[in-house]
Amino acid sequence: IPTALLEFLREEGPRLGIELADSGKGEYAVISDKVRLAPFNPVLSDLEARLRAMDTTGVDIQLISGWIDLTAYALSPAAGAEYSRRFNEIIAGEAGKHPDRLLPLGTVPLQDPARAAEELAVAVRDVGMAGVQIANTVDGTDLDQAGLDTFWEAAEDLGCLVVLHTCDPLPG
């Protein structure tokens, strides 16, 4: 969770449908008035601590992505596309501070598969990301029910990574 992303959310988040608040135990986000996230862990914003941990454990290169809870699939498609674009620029900027050590993974607005395919192409071709990280559900819908063929075709055409991260699994 780069500090630049938190600054963006403080400034532009409300317009997109993301509100930040403080619980007394840390800052958290509410997305589209229906998804309340756990408080942000400050260690997720500490790039230098990440690099030290990589050095200590012998990791030369690491993929970095945003906290999976911040995929924001509950946003409207237009807000989701705008959010994804800025999110990806910020994550790429963070990785760009140490390009020999960090490879960025972005996010896409899976709530709109056509826009997700477009944002994937921008993220990989224009922003220089290795691919994207996606959640296993899209605003309460399993991936196999979300109509994502356009997105998957774009990922195949681009030959990029798509990392699936468990988040809010559905019952059953």
Side-chain angles (χ1 to χ4, degrees), residues 75-86 108-109 111 115-116 119:
L75 295 177
S76 73
E82 183 179 343
Y83 170 75
S84 293
R85 177 80 50 100
R86 188 67 185 116
V108 291
Q111 62 269 44
R115 287 183 185 190
E119 289 305 318

Side-chain angles (χ1 to χ4, degrees), residues 130-150:
V132 292
Q133 171 185 248
I134 64 171
N136 59 299
T137 60
V138 180
D139 197 24
T141 303
D142 279 326
L143 290 182
D144 63 344
Q145 301 295 315
L148 299 175
D149 290 347
T150 304

Side-chain angles (χ1 to χ4, degrees), residues 16-171:
L16 297 173
I18 303 173
E19 299 279 343
L20 294 187
D22 194 326
S23 67
K25 294 182 180 180
E27 198 167 30
Y28 66 93
V30 177
I31 302 171
S32 293
D33 292 327
K34 64 181 185 177
V35 178
R36 180 183 168 151
L37 304 182
F40 303 139
N41 185 336
V43 75
L44 297 177
S45 298
D46 192 340
L47 186 58
E48 296 309 313
R50 174 179 301 276
L51 293 168
R52 286 191 304 275
M54 289 170 62
D55 291 341
T56 299
T57 57
V59 174
D60 295 325
I61 300 172
Q62 188 176 76
L63 290 167
I64 63 166
S65 59
W67 188 32
I68 191 63
D69 291 355
L70 287 171
T71 53
Y73 298 149
L75 295 177
S76 73
E82 183 179 343
Y83 170 75
S84 293
R85 177 80 50 100
R86 188 67 185 116
F87 181 102
N88 293 343
E89 292 168 351
I90 291 169
I91 295 291
E94 200 73 357
K97 294 174 183 176
H98 300 279
D100 56 326
R101 306 287 314 271
L102 304 171
L103 295 173
L105 289 175
T107 191
V108 291
L110 284 183
Q111 62 269 44
D112 183 329
R115 287 183 185 190
E118 291 171 21
E119 289 305 318
L120 178 63
V122 170
V124 172
R125 289 185 183 144
D126 300 340
V127 180
M129 302 194 115
V132 292
Q133 171 185 248
I134 64 171
N136 59 299
T137 60
V138 180
D139 197 24
T141 303
D142 279 326
L143 290 182
D144 63 344
Q145 301 295 315
L148 299 175
D149 290 347
T150 304
F151 166 75
W152 292 118
E153 289 167 5
E156 184 177 7
D157 289 346
L158 292 162
C160 67
L161 293 173
V162 176
V163 175
L164 179 62
H165 190 302
T166 303
C167 179
D168 294 327
L170 299 175

